[in-house]
């Protein structure tokens, strides 16, 4: 069973930056795609960003231009650089991965089967 582990969450002020990391708990594991979803209280889960094996990326509309996803050459770990953070970015951020080959745009509606436990990001003065 593949498990993902996130790190880097915390409390930041509006306009600040934060970088999240995600890695598989099992060594030697690689994925076709890795990405991030987030869920705030009372809201539905939404795609933040995803990156495919070849470097193609898809971002959620709410974070486009502010967040950047990247990954190691082997595809693991993955990183999410978050800049110009806003209070509405406050949520639990979950790492997600998929071994299946499919367009990164499809992650808007269908997540991969592997998940992390989540890391809390709070943006507040």
């Amino acid at each position: 069973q593949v498990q993902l582990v996130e790190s880097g969450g915390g409390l930041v002020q509006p306009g600040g930056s934060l970088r999240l990391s995600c890695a598989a708990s099992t060594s030697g594991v690689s994925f076709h795609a890795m990405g991030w979803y987030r869920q705030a209280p009372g809201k539905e889960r939404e795609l933040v960003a995803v990156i495919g094996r070849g470097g193609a990326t898809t971002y959620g509309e709410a974070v486009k231009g502010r967040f950047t996803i990247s990954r190691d050459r082997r595809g693991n770990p993955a990183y999410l650089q978050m800049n110009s953070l806003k209070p509405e970015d406050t949520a639990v951020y979950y790492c997600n991965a998929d071994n299946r080959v499919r367009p990164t745009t499809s992650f808007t509606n269908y997540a991969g089967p592997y998940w992390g436990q989540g890391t809390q990001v709070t943006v507040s003065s």
Side-chain angles (χ1 to χ4, degrees):
Q1 182 177 144
V2 176
Q3 295 181 327
L4 304 177
V5 181
E6 306 99 333
S7 63
L11 174 64
V12 296
Q13 294 184 325
S17 298
L18 204 62
R19 189 176 78 159
L20 306 183
S21 300
C22 175
S25 60
T26 302
S27 63
V29 175
S30 63
F31 305 98
H32 170 69
M34 297 188 71
W36 299 85
Y37 292 83
R38 69 185 185 185
Q39 187 165 27
K43 297 183 178 180
E44 296 183 3
R45 185 184 67 197
E46 64 176 344
L47 174 68
V48 177
V50 62
I51 184 168
R53 175 70 67 182
T57 58
T58 295
Y59 291 91
E61 183 177 344
V63 307
K64 190 174 298 183
R66 298 186 297 118
F67 292 8
T68 302
I69 190 169
S70 61
R71 67 192 298 180
D72 182 79
R73 184 179 61 83
R74 295 190 62 192
N76 178 37
Y79 304 95
L80 182 69
Q81 179 66 46
M82 303 183 292
N83 298 323
S84 302
L85 284 162
K86 304 175 181 179
E88 52 263 43
D89 295 318
T90 297
V92 177
Y93 285 68
Y94 297 93
C95 186
N96 179 255
D98 200 336
N99 290 323
R100 297 170 293 186
V101 178
R102 59 185 173 105
T104 56
T105 53
S106 68
F107 283 77
T108 300
N109 302 114
Y110 303 100
Y114 306 112
W115 291 95
Q117 80 287 350
T119 185
Q120 177 70 46
V121 173
T122 302
V123 185
S124 179
S125 299

